[in-house]
Amino acid sequence: MSAALDPGPCFGANPDVSGIGVRIAIYAQNLLSFAPALLALKDKKVTPTELEALETQSSTILITAFAILVSTIVQARTSGISNYHTSIVLDLSWMNNTNLFIYLLLYTYRRVNLSDAELEEEAKDRLRYPVKRLTR
């Protein structure tokens, strides 16, 4: 066999990291996270309810990213993980973290478009109700 046809070292399969189901789930989760943001901007006004929903969504996706990173650290310590699979995990976590950027943009958009009176009223509400209630 010639050197040109030799595939070199191959990586063992790791479906927990590079499996098609894991990757499709994370891709779909990140693509679908744009839908609420686009709907919030549809009327050119981001309401506190929309912002809170996006904050909850971003937090959930960040927890997923953190869990992926922790599971990779555990796997690296116990059975080992290749650089290839570590790179995939970092890429997937990076994609999950972009969702926080969407929330940050909408939060900034809302703050920029509020009048001084509305900003003052929101600050008073935060002082009155420092802990978010479960029901509104």
Side-chain angles (χ1 to χ4, degrees):
M1 182 182 253
S2 72
L5 297 177
D6 183 23
C10 293
F11 298 106
N14 190 345
D16 292 336
V17 173
S18 61
I20 191 74
V22 172
R23 295 178 82 171
I24 286 177
I26 289 179
Y27 297 153
Q29 182 181 36
N30 282 289
L31 286 175
L32 291 174
S33 69
F34 283 96
L38 294 174
L39 290 174
L41 289 173
K42 185 176 165 184
D43 60 353
K44 306 243 191 267
K45 185 175 181 185
V46 180
T47 65
T49 307
E50 291 169 333
L51 199 58
E52 186 176 341
L54 288 166
E55 179 184 6
T56 304
Q57 171 188 313
S58 294
S59 298
T60 305
I61 293 176
L62 281 175
I63 290 169
T64 303
F66 184 69
I68 291 170
L69 290 172
V70 168
S71 68
T72 302
I73 292 169
V74 169
Q75 185 174 3
R77 295 280 183 168
T78 57
S79 60
I81 188 168
S82 69
N83 289 340
Y84 170 74
H85 290 104
T86 304
S87 174
I88 289 175
V89 167
L90 291 175
D91 289 342
L92 295 176
S93 292
W94 176 84
M95 275 192 287
N96 280 336
N97 291 333
T98 58
N99 195 332
L100 186 62
F101 186 66
I102 295 169
Y103 169 73
L104 178 65
L105 286 176
L106 289 178
Y107 178 80
T108 305
Y109 179 84
R110 174 169 168 68
R111 299 295 288 184
V112 166
N113 291 324
L114 287 179
S115 67
D116 289 339
E118 290 171 318
L119 283 171
E120 201 171 295
E121 185 62 33
E122 274 195 7
K124 287 179 185 176
D125 283 345
R126 276 196 299 273
L127 290 175
R128 257 184 261 149
Y129 307 108
V131 178
K132 291 181 184 178
R133 291 188 244 165
L134 294 176
T135 58
R136 286 192 181 201

